[in-house]
Amino acid sequence: MSEDASMLNLSDEYWMAEALALAEQAASLGEVPVGAVLVRDGVVIGRGHNQPISSQDPTAHAEVVALRDAARQQGNYRLADTTLYVTIEPCTMCFGAMVHARVARLVYGATEPRAGVCVSQLGLPEQGFYNHAMVVTGGVLAEQSSRLLKAFFARRRR
């Protein structure tokens, strides 16, 4: 592994750990534990965790909340040259929001077999009909992300 690749992996794991902390915050509020951070030039410009229940907003997924936070802070809905770190493979809505925001790179943790649209279902990043392409990396701290989700749903079933 080159030195650049090593630094990239270290950075991906670092930022995914930040997203995992936000996912834990969501779980503590009774929300499905998903967290997201949007990073530009080594600085977090947006944070979010799932909150559709508490906000009574079906679009308040972690990714959308992070994009909204960043857009407000940046004063621009276009969030070019950013990387979004999210603990689980995004759904259709969230992937579409990233395309519209012009996120350059998506890094996710665990796959989502039922509704994930990057590799699990639709393969949206490979579709040629979008006016923006994103680089996608999956599996970063996937075990930790998966464990958090499984523990949350096990507690709910009890």
Side-chain angles (χ1 to χ4, degrees):
M1 183 183 303
S2 73
E3 187 174 318
D4 288 341
S6 175
M7 286 300 292
L8 185 64
N9 288 342
L10 176 63
S11 179
D12 284 351
E13 290 178 2
Y14 175 83
W15 296 118
M16 188 60 73
E18 294 272 326
L20 278 164
L22 289 164
E24 289 173 1
Q25 188 177 345
S28 73
L29 298 171
E31 301 276 1
V32 175
V34 180
V37 293
L38 189 68
V39 177
R40 179 188 284 142
D41 298 325
V43 176
V44 174
I45 63 169
R47 290 179 170 80
H49 61 74
N50 264 11
Q51 49 191 280
I53 298 166
S54 58
S55 68
Q56 298 179 9
D57 178 357
T59 68
H61 290 193
E63 301 95 320
V64 172
V65 173
L67 292 171
R68 287 175 180 161
D69 183 36
R72 272 191 303 275
Q73 288 188 48
Q74 301 296 302
N76 193 341
Y77 74 101
R78 293 285 171 94
L79 301 166
D81 304 318
T82 59
T83 299
L84 182 74
Y85 294 88
V86 61
T87 56
I88 193 166
E89 181 183 4
C91 72
T92 309
M93 175 187 68
C94 293
F95 187 83
M98 289 178 242
V99 169
H100 288 290
R102 305 300 194 266
V103 170
R105 184 166 177 248
L106 163 65
V107 179
Y108 66 87
T111 56
E112 211 297 68
R114 291 189 333 193
V117 297
C118 294
V119 297
S120 295
Q121 292 298 330
L122 301 175
L124 291 184
E126 279 77 49
Q127 301 304 315
F129 53 80
Y130 291 112
N131 61 350
H132 172 72
M134 235 179 302
V135 175
V136 178
T137 303
V140 176
L141 300 185
E143 182 57 38
Q144 293 90 320
S145 297
S146 181
R147 201 175 320 127
L148 185 59
L149 283 161
K150 287 176 182 171
F152 175 81
F153 286 112
R155 281 192 305 275
R156 267 191 142 172
R157 284 189 294 275
R158 279 188 247 137

